[in-house]
Amino acid sequence: MTENTSGRVRGGDPRSRGRTSIADVVVEKIAGIAAQDVIGVHALGSGFARSMGAVRGRVPGAGSGKSVTRGVSVEVGDVQAAIDLEIVVDYGVSIVDVSGAVRVNVISAVERMTGLEVVEVNIAVSDVKLPDEEDEEEDQQRVQ
């Protein structure tokens, strides 16, 4: 044990010296990217949210409109997080399998990157992307 002149003990684990806070948007981005990485997930968010994102993307200075946080909402505490996702799946995939894979991928990514315990990942499937449907964002970008 090493003491300094003020009598305070030095040493110990440096990871326990101070506090780390993680903003909700950080967890939203991690969860959004992890969800989109799953095969069978066509997009995040409802059709309306994706349409508004496409419109926003055409406004100068408003960003690309392809936000990874669209369709993602989180509640972040000191040690736990709860995540809600709204997804669009590709036609023909098993929604049960895709939802399970999304949960696994999101929980793994968020817990690994943040150290937070993910207590739940709720998934709402808002639409199915049919093979002959064009993407709303593609429609918006063709006409400029």
Side-chain angles (χ1 to χ4, degrees):
M1 185 184 318
T2 306
E3 289 187 9
N4 63 15
T5 56
S6 66
R8 294 175 60 185
V9 177
R10 288 185 181 207
D13 187 359
R15 292 177 288 187
S16 65
R17 297 183 195 176
R19 183 171 180 267
T20 302
S21 61
I22 299 170
D24 290 4
V25 71
V26 172
V27 177
E28 287 174 353
K29 286 181 179 182
I30 294 168
I33 291 169
Q36 289 177 341
D37 282 346
V38 174
I39 294 172
V41 173
H42 178 74
L44 296 178
S46 65
F48 178 74
R50 292 191 327 271
S51 294
M52 291 308 294
V55 170
R56 227 182 359 261
R58 293 194 328 253
V59 175
S64 68
K66 285 193 153 194
S67 174
V68 295
T69 61
R70 187 181 315 134
V72 182
S73 63
V74 300
E75 291 180 40
V76 179
D78 289 335
V79 295
Q80 294 180 325
I83 301 166
D84 295 321
L85 299 169
E86 186 173 3
I87 65 173
V88 176
V89 297
D90 291 320
Y91 177 80
V93 300
S94 166
I95 294 173
V96 173
D97 292 346
V98 169
S99 296
V102 167
R103 267 191 199 89
V104 167
N105 214 32
V106 167
I107 290 170
S108 174
V110 170
E111 288 185 347
R112 179 179 50 81
M113 293 179 71
T114 67
L116 296 168
E117 175 192 9
V118 177
V119 293
E120 65 182 9
V121 175
N122 299 310
I123 300 171
V125 179
S126 63
D127 202 357
V128 174
K129 167 67 171 71
L130 300 176
D132 57 347
E133 286 181 330
E134 291 187 32
D135 284 335
E136 292 171 10
E137 290 181 8
E138 288 175 6
D139 289 344
Q140 298 291 336
Q141 291 176 1
R142 270 195 322 184
V143 180
Q144 292 185 6

Short mmCIF file of all heavy atoms in Angstrom, two decimals, residues 22-67:
data_model
loop_
_atom_site.label_atom_id
_atom_site.label_comp_id
_atom_site.label_asym_id
_atom_site.label_seq_id
_atom_site.Cartn_x
_atom_site.Cartn_y
_atom_site.Cartn_z
N ILE A 22 -23.74 7.56 -20.55
CA ILE A 22 -23.95 7.25 -21.96
C ILE A 22 -25.28 7.85 -22.39
O ILE A 22 -26.33 7.54 -21.82
CB ILE A 22 -23.91 5.73 -22.20
CG1 ILE A 22 -22.55 5.18 -21.78
CG2 ILE A 22 -24.21 5.40 -23.65
CD1 ILE A 22 -22.46 3.68 -21.74
N ALA A 23 -25.23 8.72 -23.39
CA ALA A 23 -26.44 9.39 -23.88
C ALA A 23 -27.35 8.41 -24.59
O ALA A 23 -26.89 7.43 -25.19
CB ALA A 23 -26.05 10.53 -24.82
N ASP A 24 -28.64 8.70 -24.54
CA ASP A 24 -29.63 7.85 -25.22
C ASP A 24 -29.31 7.68 -26.70
O ASP A 24 -29.44 6.59 -27.25
CB ASP A 24 -31.03 8.45 -25.08
CG ASP A 24 -31.58 8.38 -23.66
OD1 ASP A 24 -30.85 7.93 -22.75
OD2 ASP A 24 -32.74 8.78 -23.47
N VAL A 25 -28.89 8.77 -27.35
CA VAL A 25 -28.62 8.71 -28.80
C VAL A 25 -27.50 7.73 -29.12
O VAL A 25 -27.51 7.12 -30.18
CB VAL A 25 -28.35 10.12 -29.38
CG1 VAL A 25 -27.00 10.65 -28.92
CG2 VAL A 25 -28.43 10.10 -30.89
N VAL A 26 -26.56 7.55 -28.22
CA VAL A 26 -25.47 6.58 -28.44
C VAL A 26 -26.05 5.17 -28.51
O VAL A 26 -25.75 4.41 -29.43
CB VAL A 26 -24.40 6.68 -27.33
CG1 VAL A 26 -23.38 5.58 -27.44
CG2 VAL A 26 -23.74 8.06 -27.35
N VAL A 27 -26.90 4.84 -27.57
CA VAL A 27 -27.52 3.52 -27.54
C VAL A 27 -28.46 3.36 -28.74
O VAL A 27 -28.51 2.29 -29.35
CB VAL A 27 -28.27 3.28 -26.21
CG1 VAL A 27 -28.98 1.95 -26.21
CG2 VAL A 27 -27.29 3.35 -25.04
N GLU A 28 -29.17 4.43 -29.11
CA GLU A 28 -30.05 4.37 -30.29
C GLU A 28 -29.26 4.04 -31.55
O GLU A 28 -29.68 3.20 -32.36
CB GLU A 28 -30.78 5.70 -30.48
CG GLU A 28 -31.88 5.93 -29.48
CD GLU A 28 -32.49 7.32 -29.60
OE1 GLU A 28 -31.98 8.16 -30.37
OE2 GLU A 28 -33.49 7.57 -28.90
N LYS A 29 -28.12 4.69 -31.73
CA LYS A 29 -27.31 4.44 -32.94
C LYS A 29 -26.75 3.02 -32.95
O LYS A 29 -26.79 2.34 -33.98
CB LYS A 29 -26.17 5.46 -33.03
CG LYS A 29 -26.66 6.82 -33.43
CD LYS A 29 -25.51 7.81 -33.55
CE LYS A 29 -26.02 9.18 -33.98
NZ LYS A 29 -24.93 10.14 -34.16
N ILE A 30 -26.25 2.56 -31.82
CA ILE A 30 -25.71 1.20 -31.75
C ILE A 30 -26.81 0.18 -32.07
O ILE A 30 -26.62 -0.74 -32.87
CB ILE A 30 -25.09 0.92 -30.36
CG1 ILE A 30 -23.86 1.79 -30.13
CG2 ILE A 30 -24.75 -0.56 -30.21
CD1 ILE A 30 -23.36 1.80 -28.70
N ALA A 31 -27.98 0.36 -31.45
CA ALA A 31 -29.10 -0.56 -31.67
C ALA A 31 -29.58 -0.51 -33.12
O ALA A 31 -29.87 -1.55 -33.73
CB ALA A 31 -30.24 -0.24 -30.72
N GLY A 32 -29.65 0.68 -33.69
CA GLY A 32 -30.10 0.83 -35.08
C GLY A 32 -29.19 0.14 -36.07
O GLY A 32 -29.64 -0.57 -36.97
N ILE A 33 -27.89 0.33 -35.89
CA ILE A 33 -26.93 -0.31 -36.80
C ILE A 33 -26.97 -1.82 -36.62
O ILE A 33 -26.96 -2.57 -37.60
CB ILE A 33 -25.51 0.25 -36.57
CG1 ILE A 33 -25.46 1.71 -37.03
CG2 ILE A 33 -24.47 -0.58 -37.28
CD1 ILE A 33 -24.20 2.45 -36.62
N ALA A 34 -27.03 -2.28 -35.37
CA ALA A 34 -27.06 -3.73 -35.11
C ALA A 34 -28.32 -4.36 -35.70
O ALA A 34 -28.27 -5.46 -36.25
CB ALA A 34 -26.99 -3.99 -33.61
N ALA A 35 -29.45 -3.67 -35.63
CA ALA A 35 -30.69 -4.21 -36.19
C ALA A 35 -30.62 -4.27 -37.71
O ALA A 35 -31.05 -5.26 -38.32
CB ALA A 35 -31.88 -3.35 -35.76
N GLN A 36 -30.06 -3.24 -38.34
CA GLN A 36 -29.97 -3.22 -39.80
C GLN A 36 -29.00 -4.26 -40.34
O GLN A 36 -29.09 -4.64 -41.50
CB GLN A 36 -29.56 -1.83 -40.28
CG GLN A 36 -30.65 -0.80 -40.11
CD GLN A 36 -30.22 0.59 -40.52
OE1 GLN A 36 -29.03 0.90 -40.60
NE2 GLN A 36 -31.18 1.46 -40.75
N ASP A 37 -28.09 -4.74 -39.51
CA ASP A 37 -27.13 -5.75 -39.93
C ASP A 37 -27.74 -7.14 -40.09
O ASP A 37 -27.11 -8.03 -40.64
CB ASP A 37 -25.97 -5.83 -38.94
CG ASP A 37 -24.96 -4.71 -39.10
OD1 ASP A 37 -25.01 -4.00 -40.13
OD2 ASP A 37 -24.13 -4.52 -38.18
N VAL A 38 -28.96 -7.32 -39.60
CA VAL A 38 -29.60 -8.64 -39.65
C VAL A 38 -30.25 -8.84 -41.02
O VAL A 38 -31.00 -7.99 -41.50
CB VAL A 38 -30.65 -8.76 -38.53
CG1 VAL A 38 -31.43 -10.07 -38.66
CG2 VAL A 38 -29.97 -8.67 -37.16
N ILE A 39 -29.95 -9.97 -41.64
CA ILE A 39 -30.55 -10.31 -42.93
C ILE A 39 -32.05 -10.50 -42.74
O ILE A 39 -32.49 -11.20 -41.83
CB ILE A 39 -29.90 -11.58 -43.52
CG1 ILE A 39 -28.44 -11.30 -43.85
CG2 ILE A 39 -30.66 -12.08 -44.74
CD1 ILE A 39 -27.65 -12.53 -44.26
N GLY A 40 -32.82 -9.86 -43.61
CA GLY A 40 -34.27 -9.92 -43.51
C GLY A 40 -34.87 -8.62 -43.01
O GLY A 40 -36.07 -8.38 -43.17
N VAL A 41 -34.04 -7.75 -42.41
CA VAL A 41 -34.52 -6.42 -42.00
C VAL A 41 -34.32 -5.51 -43.20
O VAL A 41 -33.20 -5.26 -43.63
CB VAL A 41 -33.74 -5.88 -40.77
CG1 VAL A 41 -34.15 -4.44 -40.48
CG2 VAL A 41 -33.99 -6.77 -39.56
N HIS A 42 -35.43 -5.02 -43.74
CA HIS A 42 -35.35 -4.14 -44.90
C HIS A 42 -35.05 -2.70 -44.48
O HIS A 42 -34.26 -2.01 -45.12
CB HIS A 42 -36.65 -4.19 -45.71
CG HIS A 42 -36.63 -3.28 -46.87
ND1 HIS A 42 -35.90 -3.54 -48.01
CD2 HIS A 42 -37.22 -2.07 -47.07
CE1 HIS A 42 -36.05 -2.54 -48.85
NE2 HIS A 42 -36.84 -1.64 -48.31
N ALA A 43 -35.71 -2.25 -43.40
CA ALA A 43 -35.54 -0.87 -42.95
C ALA A 43 -36.01 -0.75 -41.51
O ALA A 43 -36.66 -1.65 -40.98
CB ALA A 43 -36.33 0.08 -43.84
N LEU A 44 -35.66 0.38 -40.91
CA LEU A 44 -36.16 0.71 -39.58
C LEU A 44 -37.19 1.82 -39.71
O LEU A 44 -37.06 2.69 -40.58
CB LEU A 44 -35.03 1.19 -38.67
CG LEU A 44 -33.94 0.17 -38.34
CD1 LEU A 44 -32.87 0.80 -37.47
CD2 LEU A 44 -34.53 -1.04 -37.65
N GLY A 45 -38.19 1.81 -38.85
CA GLY A 45 -39.20 2.86 -38.85
C GLY A 45 -40.40 2.48 -39.68
O GLY A 45 -40.37 1.56 -40.49
N SER A 46 -41.48 3.24 -39.47
CA SER A 46 -42.71 3.01 -40.24
C SER A 46 -42.57 3.64 -41.61
O SER A 46 -41.64 4.40 -41.87
CB SER A 46 -43.89 3.63 -39.50
OG SER A 46 -43.74 5.05 -39.46
N GLY A 47 -43.50 3.35 -42.48
CA GLY A 47 -43.49 3.95 -43.81
C GLY A 47 -43.54 5.46 -43.74
O GLY A 47 -42.85 6.16 -44.49
N PHE A 48 -44.32 6.02 -42.81
CA PHE A 48 -44.42 7.46 -42.67
C PHE A 48 -43.09 8.07 -42.23
O PHE A 48 -42.65 9.06 -42.79
CB PHE A 48 -45.52 7.83 -41.67
CG PHE A 48 -45.63 9.31 -41.44
CD1 PHE A 48 -46.21 10.12 -42.42
CD2 PHE A 48 -45.16 9.89 -40.29
CE1 PHE A 48 -46.31 11.49 -42.23
CE2 PHE A 48 -45.25 11.26 -40.09
CZ PHE A 48 -45.83 12.06 -41.06
N ALA A 49 -42.46 7.44 -41.26
CA ALA A 49 -41.16 7.96 -40.77
C ALA A 49 -40.12 7.91 -41.88
O ALA A 49 -39.31 8.82 -42.01
CB ALA A 49 -40.70 7.15 -39.56
N ARG A 50 -40.13 6.85 -42.68
CA ARG A 50 -39.17 6.75 -43.78
C ARG A 50 -39.45 7.80 -44.85
O ARG A 50 -38.54 8.38 -45.42
CB ARG A 50 -39.18 5.34 -44.37
CG ARG A 50 -38.62 4.31 -43.39
CD ARG A 50 -38.35 2.95 -44.01
NE ARG A 50 -39.24 2.54 -45.07
CZ ARG A 50 -40.38 1.87 -44.90
NH1 ARG A 50 -40.78 1.55 -43.70
NH2 ARG A 50 -41.10 1.51 -45.93
N SER A 51 -40.73 8.08 -45.10
CA SER A 51 -41.09 9.12 -46.08
C SER A 51 -40.63 10.48 -45.60
O SER A 51 -40.09 11.27 -46.37
CB SER A 51 -42.61 9.16 -46.29
OG SER A 51 -43.03 7.98 -46.89
N MET A 52 -40.85 10.77 -44.33
CA MET A 52 -40.42 12.05 -43.78
C MET A 52 -38.90 12.17 -43.82
O MET A 52 -38.36 13.24 -44.08
CB MET A 52 -40.93 12.23 -42.35
CG MET A 52 -42.44 12.40 -42.26
SD MET A 52 -43.08 13.69 -43.34
CE MET A 52 -42.35 15.12 -42.61
N GLY A 53 -38.20 11.08 -43.59
CA GLY A 53 -36.74 11.08 -43.67
C GLY A 53 -36.27 11.37 -45.07
O GLY A 53 -35.28 12.09 -45.28
N ALA A 54 -36.97 10.83 -46.07
CA ALA A 54 -36.60 11.09 -47.46
C ALA A 54 -36.82 12.55 -47.81
O ALA A 54 -36.02 13.17 -48.50
CB ALA A 54 -37.40 10.19 -48.40
N VAL A 55 -37.92 13.13 -47.33
CA VAL A 55 -38.19 14.55 -47.57
C VAL A 55 -37.13 15.40 -46.88
O VAL A 55 -36.59 16.34 -47.45
CB VAL A 55 -39.61 14.92 -47.08
CG1 VAL A 55 -39.81 16.43 -47.09
CG2 VAL A 55 -40.65 14.23 -47.94
N ARG A 56 -36.83 15.06 -45.64
CA ARG A 56 -35.81 15.79 -44.88
C ARG A 56 -34.46 15.72 -45.57
O ARG A 56 -33.69 16.66 -45.57
CB ARG A 56 -35.70 15.19 -43.47
CG ARG A 56 -35.68 16.18 -42.38
CD ARG A 56 -35.51 15.59 -40.98
NE ARG A 56 -35.41 14.17 -40.82
CZ ARG A 56 -36.42 13.37 -40.47
NH1 ARG A 56 -37.61 13.86 -40.25
NH2 ARG A 56 -36.22 12.08 -40.33
N GLY A 57 -34.18 14.59 -46.22
CA GLY A 57 -32.90 14.41 -46.89
C GLY A 57 -32.74 15.33 -48.09
O GLY A 57 -31.62 15.60 -48.52
N ARG A 58 -33.86 15.81 -48.66
CA ARG A 58 -33.78 16.71 -49.81
C ARG A 58 -33.64 18.17 -49.39
O ARG A 58 -33.36 19.02 -50.22
CB ARG A 58 -35.01 16.54 -50.69
CG ARG A 58 -35.04 15.17 -51.35
CD ARG A 58 -36.04 15.08 -52.49
NE ARG A 58 -37.22 15.88 -52.34
CZ ARG A 58 -38.44 15.42 -52.05
NH1 ARG A 58 -38.60 14.15 -51.83
NH2 ARG A 58 -39.45 16.24 -51.98
N VAL A 59 -33.85 18.46 -48.10
CA VAL A 59 -33.72 19.83 -47.62
C VAL A 59 -32.25 20.11 -47.34
O VAL A 59 -31.60 19.36 -46.61
CB VAL A 59 -34.55 20.03 -46.32
CG1 VAL A 59 -34.33 21.40 -45.74
CG2 VAL A 59 -36.01 19.76 -46.59
N PRO A 60 -31.70 21.17 -47.93
CA PRO A 60 -30.27 21.48 -47.72
C PRO A 60 -29.96 21.65 -46.24
O PRO A 60 -30.68 22.33 -45.51
CB PRO A 60 -30.08 22.80 -48.47
CG PRO A 60 -31.18 22.85 -49.47
CD PRO A 60 -32.34 22.12 -48.84
N GLY A 61 -28.89 20.99 -45.81
CA GLY A 61 -28.44 21.10 -44.43
C GLY A 61 -29.18 20.24 -43.44
O GLY A 61 -28.93 20.27 -42.25
N ALA A 62 -30.13 19.43 -43.91
CA ALA A 62 -30.93 18.62 -42.99
C ALA A 62 -30.41 17.20 -42.85
O ALA A 62 -31.00 16.39 -42.18
CB ALA A 62 -32.39 18.59 -43.45
N GLY A 63 -29.32 16.86 -43.48
CA GLY A 63 -28.78 15.51 -43.37
C GLY A 63 -29.21 14.64 -44.52
O GLY A 63 -29.94 15.05 -45.41
N SER A 64 -28.78 13.41 -44.50
CA SER A 64 -29.02 12.50 -45.62
C SER A 64 -30.41 11.89 -45.62
O SER A 64 -30.85 11.35 -46.62
CB SER A 64 -27.99 11.36 -45.58
OG SER A 64 -28.23 10.54 -44.46
N GLY A 65 -31.11 11.94 -44.47
CA GLY A 65 -32.42 11.30 -44.40
C GLY A 65 -32.33 9.82 -44.07
O GLY A 65 -33.33 9.19 -43.85
N LYS A 66 -31.15 9.24 -44.06
CA LYS A 66 -30.97 7.83 -43.73
C LYS A 66 -30.43 7.72 -42.31
O LYS A 66 -29.28 7.38 -42.10
CB LYS A 66 -30.02 7.16 -44.71
CG LYS A 66 -30.62 6.88 -46.04
CD LYS A 66 -29.73 5.97 -46.82
CE LYS A 66 -30.55 5.19 -47.80
NZ LYS A 66 -29.85 4.08 -48.37
N SER A 67 -31.25 8.03 -41.36
CA SER A 67 -30.83 8.03 -39.97
C SER A 67 -30.89 6.62 -39.39
O SER A 67 -31.87 5.92 -39.57
CB SER A 67 -31.74 8.95 -39.16
OG SER A 67 -31.43 8.86 -37.80
#
